[in-house]
Amino acid sequence: MIQTDFSLLHHNTFGVDVKANKFIEYSSVDELSELIVSQQITTPFLHIGQGSNLLFTKDFAGTILHSRIGKIEIVKEDIDSVWVRAGAGIDWDHFVGYCVDQNWYGLENLSLIPGEVGASAVQNIGAYGVEVKDLISSVETINIFGEKKTYDVSECMYSYRNSLFKQASMKNVFVTHVVYKLSKKREFTLNYASLKDELEGDQEVTLATVRLAIISIRKRKLPDPKVLGNAGSFFMNPVVSHIRFKELSEEYPGMPYYEYPDGTAKIPAGWLIEQAGWKGKAIGAAAVYENQALVLVNKGGATGNDIVHLSDAVREAVRSKFNIDIKPEVNII
Ligand code: EPU
């Protein structure tokens, strides 16, 4: 379906009211191929999922694309594992719920993350000790010239919230399906302290109890975008050098961190922002969320630029207190 002069208000979780010249939704690879051949996808173009990791600062003078490819199927199976192929347009949490219902292990810690299957593979979503790259087997794509290509996970250059598909050279490439390799054997990732605490007292740990525990932790900590516009973590957690890490941990003995084998350390940006005094603070309708400083929220009517303005102020405060530059995780358009 092609629509013109289209409001993106319901297609970005920050709830920013901007327009796109053209908005196109398609339900199959064939339909997308036809749109390509008939040159409907005018430039500039941008492919979005649920708009849960982007911030529009102005109207988009081009074509916004959105996938509605929706099928889930088993493409291979052995004694231990199942390979599940899912359409890029499937709601992520619906897919996680489906896998949990089928007794397939692996994705349960990624419950309730906003977004869609396609974006999971672009963004390498992660939470509670699991990154989706560890469950992806391959990623199927089509480019703006109509050429299809399947990437094995080893070709996707996955790292923390990053992948091959985020590189500027790949902006002509659209993810159509993702194949996940899930386990049929009982195995959980429960090393995250808050998850362990949440499960404590449960009779037996099952896929369903882990999923419920994750959902309740997230509901407590993170604002519901339907109520308060936001895009989850606005910033990435910065990684600092070994020397800087030693200095910081001497100065701030209570500082949380995750140390890598090479001595560098990831410091939670939420903690840095809170220490810099910005938790819960607002500039106009843009605010730092009161329960989790890593999240910026739209209290109602904020523009994209209002949120960028707040982000700049927060970054500057963290830079001047800690000499660390925290970088937005959200794509600013
Ligand atoms: N912290 C504070 N103040 C705050 C927020 C956090 O001091 O306002 C401290 C916490 O006490 C904790 C540490 O920072 O010691 C880490 O906090 P948390 O475990 O909540 O995780 P996070 O680093 O803030 C990351 C991901 C989340 C993911 C959680 C759980 C990034 C940028 N964010 O957040 O992902 O859900 O871990 O695994 O890596 C997202 O990407 O949108 C997202 C929500």
Side-chain angles (χ1 to χ4, degrees):
M1 191 172 41
I2 303 177
Q3 293 174 86
T4 51
D5 201 25
F6 183 83
S7 168
L8 296 169
L9 181 62
H10 300 295
H11 291 273
N12 73 96
T13 57
F14 256 120
V16 169
D17 196 4
V18 290
K19 281 183 178 163
N21 283 5
K22 222 189 227 188
F23 183 78
I24 302 183
E25 286 191 312
Y26 58 89
S27 305
S28 67
V29 177
D30 286 347
E31 197 184 328
L32 178 56
S33 299
E34 273 166 37
L35 289 162
I36 292 169
V37 170
S38 58
Q39 300 189 339
Q40 286 291 351
I41 306 173
T42 46
T43 47
F45 53 80
L46 174 70
H47 203 299
I48 65 168
Q50 281 168 358
S52 54
N53 201 48
L54 51 80
L55 176 61
F56 288 108
T57 55
K58 50 182 179 293
D59 287 343
F60 190 77
T63 306
I64 299 280
L65 286 158
H66 181 226
S67 169
R68 288 206 168 271
I69 300 178
K71 196 169 163 195
I72 302 175
E73 61 187 327
I74 295 181
V75 287
K76 187 174 152 187
E77 200 165 353
D78 66 17
I79 271 197
D80 297 327
S81 309
V82 57
W83 282 257
V84 186
R85 179 175 185 257
I90 300 170
D91 175 78
W92 175 256
D93 191 55
H94 170 83
F95 180 60
V96 174
Y98 180 88
C99 295
V100 164
D101 288 347
Q102 305 298 313
N103 270 319
W104 298 333
Y105 294 79
L107 298 177
E108 56 284 354
N109 288 24
L110 305 180
S111 291
L112 211 66
I113 294 182
E116 293 168 356
V117 162
S120 76
V122 173
Q123 174 72 5
N124 184 23
I125 57 172
Y128 307 101
V130 174
E131 278 189 310
V132 82
K133 72 172 172 61
D134 300 324
L135 288 313
I136 287 177
S137 171
S138 61
V139 179
E140 297 173 27
T141 67
I142 186 168
N143 69 15
I144 194 69
F145 310 109
E147 297 156 347
K148 293 174 194 164
K149 181 167 177 181
T150 299
Y151 293 85
D152 182 77
V153 66
S154 59
E155 298 172 282
C156 298
M157 293 169 61
Y158 281 124
S159 62
Y160 171 58
R161 297 295 196 276
N162 207 352
S163 76
L164 171 70
F165 309 108
K166 285 184 85 168
Q167 299 201 346
S169 61
M170 296 294 280
K171 75 176 194 308
N172 290 343
V173 174
F174 313 130
V175 173
T176 58
H177 295 86
V178 183
V179 178
Y180 302 87
K181 182 187 175 197
L182 305 177
S183 175
K184 296 201 277 187
K185 296 232 160 106
R186 191 187 144 82
E187 52 186 44
F188 293 107
T189 304
L190 303 177
N191 45 7
Y192 223 82
S194 56
L195 178 55
K196 260 190 245 159
D197 293 349
E198 191 74 28
L199 286 165
E200 198 145 15
D202 278 4
Q203 303 264 311
E204 193 199 344
V205 175
T206 66
L207 277 170
T209 60
V210 173
R211 175 165 162 75
L212 279 178
I214 297 283
I215 289 175
S216 53
I217 299 172
R218 290 189 75 94
K219 281 198 168 155
R220 240 184 354 253
K221 276 201 176 170
L222 299 166
D224 178 353
K226 288 187 198 93
V227 180
L228 199 58
N230 75 90
S233 300
F234 192 90
F235 300 100
M236 284 195 269
N237 287 330
V239 175
V240 300
S241 70
H242 181 63
I243 294 169
R244 186 77 191 110
F245 170 56
K246 287 286 162 239
E247 287 167 1
L248 282 167
S249 43
E250 268 166 38
E251 198 174 345
Y252 304 95
M255 179 182 76
Y257 59 87
Y258 173 79
E259 198 174 358
Y260 290 104
D262 66 0
T264 61
K266 188 150 89 178
I267 315 289
W271 183 85
L272 295 168
I273 296 166
E274 184 170 345
Q275 297 299 311
W278 274 87
K279 190 169 184 170
K281 276 201 186 159
I283 302 182
V288 179
Y289 188 53
E290 57 203 9
N291 296 337
Q292 164 58 287
L294 194 51
V295 178
L296 303 188
V297 297
N298 175 1
K299 294 202 294 176
T303 64
N305 282 322
D306 291 340
I307 293 158
V308 170
H309 182 53
L310 173 68
S311 151
D312 288 345
V314 168
R315 279 176 89 172
E316 184 46 44
V318 169
R319 200 180 295 126
S320 77
K321 187 170 170 74
F322 295 103
N323 194 21
I324 295 174
D325 186 26
I326 50 170
K327 300 211 166 55
E329 188 208 299
V330 166
N331 301 313
I332 298 168
I333 313 287

